[in-house]
Amino acid sequence: MFTRDLETIDKLRVDAVNTLEAHTSGIRRLTSYSAQLVWIGGKFPIDVSEPESFGAQEVISNNLRFELANVLYNLASLYSQLAVSLNRSTSDGLKSACNYFCQAAGVISHIKTEIIPELRTLPPEDMDTMTLESLQQLLLAQAQECFWSKAVKDGLKDGLISKLAAKVSDFYDQAAEFGTKSDTISTEWIHHMTAKHHHFAGAAQYRASRECLEKQNYGEEVARLRDSLICVNEALKEARWINKIVVADLNGLKSRVTEDLKRAEKDNDVIYLIPVPPKSELKTLGRAGMATPRVPPEVSDPAATLGDQGTFGQPLFAKLVPYSVHVAVSIYAQRRDRLVNNTIIDELENSTNKLREQSLNLPGSLQALEKPLGLPLTLTSHADEIRQQDGLHRLRRSMHEISKLRESDASLYQEGVDLLRSEAAEDDRAKLKHGTDRWSRPSSQQAAEKLYAQETELDGYLKSAQSSDELVKSKLKECEGILQVLSGSPRDLEDYVPSSRRAAITPAVEKAAENLRTALNEVSRLKVRRKRVIEALREKAKADDINSAILVETGRLEREFPMQKIEPAQFENLFEERLRCYDSDRATVSKEQEEQEVVSSRLKETNTAFTAARVGDTSTKKREQALQRLENGYVKYKEIVSNLNTGRKFYNDLASIVSRFRDDAKNFAYQRRVEAGQLESDLSNSLTNLSLSSPTTTTTLQSQKQRESSRPHYSAPAPDEEPLAAPTPTRAPVAPPSVEAIPPASAVWNPEMGIKFGAPPAGNAGGSASGNSASRNPRYPDANANPPIGMHAGKWDGTRGLRYIEILADAVSASLRPEAITRIVPQYVHPEISNQPPSSMYLIG
């Protein structure tokens, strides 16, 4: 039935997705698809799964409003692209560009105020309030700039141009302010908007200064030129973030302002001598706002574009009745049945039951007197009715069926309760795992408040129904013996009712009996008429079909409120109007109750007179009691049958309610699990990003720890005497001394102490003369001394082994490079071996 509509909507979507070029034909593609989306938004539930592929990444979102938001976002982008692509050096180009910019701003405003609030979920990052506000202000700034350019081009007065430029500056300032609060607007754009804000603030002050010059306000002219120069300089601070053309405009404006400022200051200082007011005393420039958001009619009123007179053809899925309409029909049916059954029929039946209670000893006493032998006709007809209906077995079978229905409903209800309890337990475990600060989503009771309230309500229904079932069982148990007699054969019934002798009937008794019989006949007529009223009322409720009226109302709502989803609450006025047709039946209840009061009063009076006339006559007492027990048993039978029918209907209706409750609980638990999985994924990603936020620092620390752990540690005893101040070392003309001749040095070194080198110990064959020891620091070798043992002509003797001088310096690592040693102790590195491996030179640990 809807195959063609499905194919059409799919084609519209493909055309909308593939609208990538800045051409006017794309406007119709996007607006036609958006109009159909608005229309079907009232036909389908909002959570229809649809892949969103309008951005760089494909995003899956089961939300029709999100689809519409993406389409309109692309429409706003298309309008802005069309504006930029125009030739804005002509008047017509500026007008068209301004119109496109205003329409783009209007679409963004429409998304912000009409679409995003209907998402029923968090908006995407690039559609949050701050981002949309920044984009709207940016588009308005460009539209206002077109007005400013047109005014400059047409040579309008400087005062008007100044007001236009001041408003442009305001728009850019607001765009930058909202942009700083957005997580999507890039830094480059914020700097660009800031530069444009200062640019047009300077241009506004410059035009205002020219107006001051015309009005001979020379002091104010100088003040405004100075402020203009300050604004231009502020804008030029953002030169690295803005276009070269804008930078060239700024430099040109700066040159003109500088020249005019020199001229104005010179003229004022030499000729006019007018005090220059400070900036705080300058009058605020006026604003001339010409750009406003303008929503295209295809977006603001999409219903007008569909239909016989519409530009986009017929609306799709026009014959599809929204699901909410079906819900509304069922709600009306429930209200109608509740009004008819509970308010009208139950009142009539309760009144009838009261009438029976008042005539509890009737008609047994009268029948026993009128027919002392055999069975009364009314009793025989009642017994035949019960036997034909298989009375006692029918009641027991109905009780068993109702018990099975109750167990089925309770099972469905318990399944839904278990789902809610399981989901709540999972949420509690997640809170214990992640903490309440990070696991900040609402609790299960808060997220599904209506569902938990329905759980409590259904629990009350089931408990109340179970108590009613127990009451019906007790009624059946009380009258089970009498019903066995009524269900038996006529012989059994005659044996149960004893015969009596014919009593002598006096004229007073006969007259009282006739009056009582007349009152009983009135009661019977009242019961029959009431039964017919109830049957007619049930037929009237059965014929009450609201489908046609509710479809007409649905059509009206779809035409008047196309963007609004149809809800059952919108049909309340229709419900009230339709239910007024039962006002006459409710009035009938009051009338019946008034008539019943009269009949009951007359019956009571005649029965009292009849009893008084037969005082002392006990001849029919036993027969009278037996007949009355059978009559009461028949009344109880009818009452139990009515109770069982009500219970069966109740449990059948409750089955759909608990089934829907179970399904809602299942959907809620599934959605919460999906949400929990996404939240856990976000938390794990944030922790991963936190641990990887500074990889360079982490790698550096790890490599430093590895070097420290691989560095060999050597013990060095502290020297016996305090070290002296170190002289500036010079390169030795001979080879450096042997490593073994250098005693251990202090393990503590700082840059202020200089570099200290060990001296050969006493008794060394190559040691220096003792006469020079007084004038030399024993810890520094003599440059003219012979090379120590193990060192010959700057070469190392591998048979002598190695000794190390430990210098604790942060710049030295365990794996020294030649250039590092050259940097620390250059005088001891031979030029020929400076590029050799560390084993060819002195090693410093």
Side-chain angles (χ1 to χ4, degrees):
M1 181 176 181
F2 298 106
T3 303
R4 182 171 297 179
D5 291 342
L6 290 171
E7 293 175 352
T8 303
I9 194 68
D10 186 63
K11 183 179 182 300
L12 290 174
R13 188 176 192 277
V14 171
D15 292 341
V17 171
N18 294 327
T19 303
L20 303 177
E21 297 181 359
H23 193 272
T24 54
S25 61
I27 298 177
R28 180 180 178 84
R29 297 178 182 177
L30 292 171
T31 52
S32 60
Y33 181 49
S34 66
Q36 294 290 354
L37 283 178
V38 172
W39 168 257
I40 68 176
K43 299 284 187 178
F44 294 95
I46 190 174
D47 52 346
V48 175
S49 181
E50 191 70 43
E52 309 295 345
S53 57
F54 292 96
Q57 273 189 336
E58 184 176 291
V59 180
I60 302 299
S61 175
N62 57 337
N63 196 312
L64 276 177
R65 286 291 183 268
F66 187 44
E67 171 88 349
L68 179 60
N70 280 276
V71 174
L72 294 181
Y73 193 93
N74 272 20
L75 179 61
S77 176
L78 178 61
Y79 278 130
S80 65
Q81 292 176 15
L82 289 172
V84 173
S85 64
L86 293 174
N87 181 12
R88 284 176 285 176
S89 61
T90 63
S91 297
D92 293 338
L94 286 172
K95 290 180 181 179
S96 299
C98 179
N99 181 52
Y100 282 137
F101 279 131
C102 290
Q103 287 181 312
V107 174
I108 293 294
S109 176
H110 184 77
I111 294 173
K112 180 183 63 179
T113 57
E114 302 294 336
I115 309 301
I116 296 300
E118 295 293 330
L119 281 181
R120 301 184 185 178
T121 183
L122 292 177
E125 292 182 358
D126 55 350
M127 289 188 188
D128 64 324
T129 303
M130 294 296 105
T131 302
L132 293 179
E133 284 284 359
S134 179
L135 292 177
Q136 180 180 339
Q137 297 300 321
L138 178 60
L139 292 168
L140 290 176
Q142 295 176 89
Q144 182 76 13
E145 188 174 348
C146 292
F147 275 104
W148 174 84
S149 300
K150 180 72 165 53
V152 173
K153 186 178 182 63
D154 294 344
L156 300 182
K157 293 183 178 181
D158 291 318
L160 177 58
I161 296 176
S162 174
K163 294 178 180 180
L164 292 172
K167 190 59 180 178
V168 175
S169 177
D170 291 345
F171 279 134
Y172 277 118
D173 183 38
Q174 293 173 7
E177 181 179 355
F178 286 117
T180 56
K181 300 176 183 178
S182 168
D183 295 332
T184 306
I185 304 297
S186 62
T187 304
E188 290 81 0
W189 271 105
I190 294 175
H191 284 288
H192 173 81
M193 291 182 286
T194 303
K196 297 285 282 186
H197 158 61
H198 292 301
H199 183 183
F200 279 93
Q205 292 289 9
Y206 174 70
R207 288 289 179 169
S209 70
R210 296 183 60 174
E211 185 182 24
C212 292
L213 179 61
E214 293 177 2
K215 296 180 179 180
Q216 298 181 358
N217 296 330
Y218 303 110
E220 184 179 350
E221 177 196 8
V222 174
R224 294 197 180 277
L225 285 172
R226 289 175 180 175
D227 189 57
S228 176
L229 186 60
I230 292 174
C231 292
V232 173
N233 289 330
E234 289 293 327
L236 286 172
K237 291 180 181 179
E238 311 288 345
R240 57 173 296 195
W241 306 98
I242 56 181
N243 191 282
K244 294 180 179 180
I245 299 177
V246 179
V247 175
D249 291 343
L250 283 170
N251 288 326
L253 178 60
K254 182 178 180 180
S255 299
R256 296 179 64 181
V257 171
T258 303
E259 293 176 0
D260 287 0
L261 179 60
K262 290 180 180 179
R263 187 262 312 152
E265 288 178 339
K266 181 179 179 181
D267 292 347
N268 191 51
D269 293 341
V270 175
I271 304 173
Y272 309 114
L273 302 176
I274 297 176
V276 178
K279 183 178 178 180
S280 58
E281 296 181 4
L282 289 176
K283 183 180 178 181
T284 304
L285 294 178
R287 265 65 174 172
M290 304 301 293
T292 56
R294 189 160 55 251
V295 185
E298 297 85 0
V299 177
S300 61
D301 188 17
T305 63
L306 301 175
D308 296 333
Q309 306 298 328
T311 58
F312 298 147
Q314 294 295 330
L316 302 177
F317 306 100
K319 296 182 180 180
L320 180 64
V321 178
Y323 175 72
S324 56
V325 174
H326 295 283
V327 176
V329 171
S330 63
I331 290 175
Y332 174 77
Q334 292 175 1
R335 291 188 183 180
R336 179 200 61 206
D337 294 342
R338 186 164 58 246
L339 173 64
V340 171
N341 296 324
N342 299 349
T343 306
I344 302 177
I345 295 180
D346 284 357
E347 288 290 333
L348 293 175
E349 290 180 346
N350 290 335
S351 299
T352 305
N353 293 333
K354 291 179 181 179
L355 185 62
R356 286 170 179 167
E357 290 176 0
Q358 291 176 355
S359 58
L360 187 60
N361 294 324
L362 293 172
S365 59
L366 187 60
Q367 289 175 346
L369 178 65
E370 293 176 343
K371 192 173 183 179
L373 300 175
L375 298 175
L377 293 178
T378 55
L379 179 60
T380 304
S381 63
H382 290 166
D384 291 340
E385 180 183 349
I386 292 177
R387 280 194 296 268
Q388 290 174 3
Q389 295 178 357
D390 194 15
L392 191 59
H393 294 290
R394 175 192 176 186
L395 296 181
R396 290 172 178 170
R397 187 168 56 252
S398 298
M399 293 287 290
H400 180 68
E401 292 174 356
I402 289 175
S403 177
K404 292 177 65 176
L405 288 174
R406 182 181 66 249
E407 292 175 358
S408 176
D409 292 350
S411 176
L412 291 173
Y413 166 76
Q414 190 59 43
E415 186 177 350
V417 171
D418 292 341
L419 287 169
L420 293 179
R421 297 291 181 272
S422 175
E423 190 281 325
E426 291 177 0
D427 187 64
D428 292 339
R429 286 194 296 269
K431 284 184 179 179
L432 291 175
K433 178 180 178 181
H434 299 284
T436 55
D437 292 338
R438 290 189 295 168
W439 197 264
S440 57
R441 70 170 183 170
S443 63
S444 301
Q445 289 76 9
Q446 294 174 342
E449 185 176 355
K450 292 184 179 179
L451 205 56
Y452 276 89
Q454 187 180 11
E455 174 197 347
T456 305
E457 184 180 3
L458 290 177
D459 183 59
Y461 288 161
L462 289 172
K463 290 180 179 179
S464 176
Q466 188 173 4
S467 64
S468 299
D469 294 344
E470 295 296 330
L471 180 61
V472 174
K473 285 183 181 179
S474 65
K475 288 181 181 180
L476 179 59
K477 189 175 182 180
E478 290 175 0
C479 65
E480 189 172 2
I482 297 296
L483 292 179
Q484 286 179 348
V485 175
L486 290 170
S487 301
S489 63
R491 181 74 179 178
D492 296 334
L493 193 60
E494 291 176 356
D495 292 341
Y496 182 79
V497 179
S499 298
S500 63
R501 64 181 177 86
R502 180 175 295 274
I505 302 177
T506 63
V509 172
E510 184 178 3
K511 183 177 181 180
E514 289 178 358
N515 293 334
L516 182 59
R517 173 57 62 186
T518 302
L520 285 175
N521 290 336
E522 289 181 0
V523 171
S524 299
R525 285 194 298 270
L526 178 64
K527 292 179 181 178
V528 172
R529 186 179 72 246
R530 190 167 291 175
K531 185 177 180 180
R532 292 174 180 174
V533 169
I534 292 175
E535 291 178 353
L537 184 59
R538 285 174 176 165
E539 290 296 327
K540 179 180 179 180
K542 186 177 180 180
D544 184 9
D545 187 7
I546 199 176
N547 287 327
S548 57
I550 210 168
L551 288 177
V552 173
E553 181 67 12
T554 301
R556 184 187 69 82
L557 292 174
E558 289 177 343
R559 290 190 301 271
E560 295 182 3
F561 310 100
M563 271 295 294
Q564 185 176 359
K565 180 185 177 182
I566 296 178
E567 299 288 349
Q570 295 173 287
F571 300 97
E572 286 294 331
N573 295 333
L574 178 62
F575 292 166
E576 293 178 0
E577 182 181 353
R578 294 281 297 196
L579 291 176
R580 289 195 188 101
C581 66
Y582 297 96
D583 290 345
S584 59
D585 300 294
R586 298 177 70 176
T588 303
V589 175
S590 301
K591 184 178 179 181
E592 288 285 334
Q593 289 176 347
E594 293 176 358
E595 185 176 354
Q596 179 172 322
E597 290 293 333
V598 176
V599 173
S600 298
S601 177
R602 185 180 300 114
L603 179 64
K604 185 177 181 180
E605 292 175 358
T606 55
N607 186 52
T608 302
F610 176 76
T611 304
R614 295 193 62 201
V615 173
D617 186 5
T618 59
S619 59
T620 60
K621 190 68 175 177
K622 292 183 178 179
R623 180 178 176 84
E624 186 178 309
Q625 292 175 350
L627 291 174
Q628 192 61 47
R629 282 196 299 269
L630 292 175
E631 182 67 23
N632 293 341
Y634 173 76
V635 172
K636 281 290 184 181
Y637 170 77
K638 300 295 287 185
E639 182 180 346
I640 293 173
V641 169
S642 176
N643 292 338
L644 291 177
N645 290 334
T646 303
R648 183 183 291 106
K649 184 177 184 304
F650 169 79
Y651 283 118
N652 286 330
D653 295 341
L654 187 63
S656 61
I657 297 175
V658 294
S659 178
R660 187 163 58 248
F661 166 74
R662 188 270 315 270
D663 294 340
D664 291 344
K666 185 182 297 184
N667 294 334
F668 170 73
Y670 172 75
Q671 292 175 0
R672 291 277 286 184
R673 289 192 182 98
V674 172
E675 180 184 343
Q678 183 64 36
L679 186 56
E680 286 186 348
S681 176
D682 294 341
L683 290 175
S684 61
N685 290 338
S686 63
L687 291 176
T688 303
N689 294 335
L690 181 62
S691 61
L692 298 177
S693 59
S694 55
T696 305
T697 306
T698 305
T699 306
T700 305
L701 292 175
Q702 291 177 352
S703 61
Q704 182 176 351
K705 289 181 179 180
Q706 292 176 358
R707 291 197 300 270
E708 292 292 339
S709 61
S710 61
R711 177 186 297 176
H713 298 279
Y714 303 96
S715 60
D720 297 334
E721 56 183 346
E722 292 294 330
L724 301 178
T728 303
T730 58
R731 184 179 300 277
V734 294
S738 174
V739 175
E740 66 179 4
I742 303 176
S746 173
V748 180
W749 175 86
N750 60 70
E752 297 178 356
M753 295 172 56
I755 302 176
K756 306 176 180 62
F757 301 95
N764 192 328
S768 59
S770 60
N772 299 330
S773 61
S775 61
R776 257 193 347 262
N777 186 350
R779 295 197 174 272
Y780 291 89
D782 187 358
N784 297 323
N786 294 327
I789 299 173
M791 178 63 70
H792 301 284
K795 296 181 180 179
W796 170 65
D797 187 357
T799 60
R800 302 296 296 173
L802 293 173
R803 290 187 182 180
Y804 300 91
I805 301 174
E806 182 172 285
I807 300 177
L808 298 180
D810 292 339
V812 183
S813 65
S815 56
L816 287 175
R817 303 183 302 275
E819 57 270 21
I821 299 178
T822 304
R823 179 170 56 84
I824 298 173
V825 284
Q827 67 276 23
Y828 275 88
V829 179
H830 197 280
E832 297 179 358
I833 61 172
S834 60
N835 293 324
Q836 298 299 322
S839 60
S840 303
M841 62 189 74
Y842 290 107
L843 299 181
I844 302 179

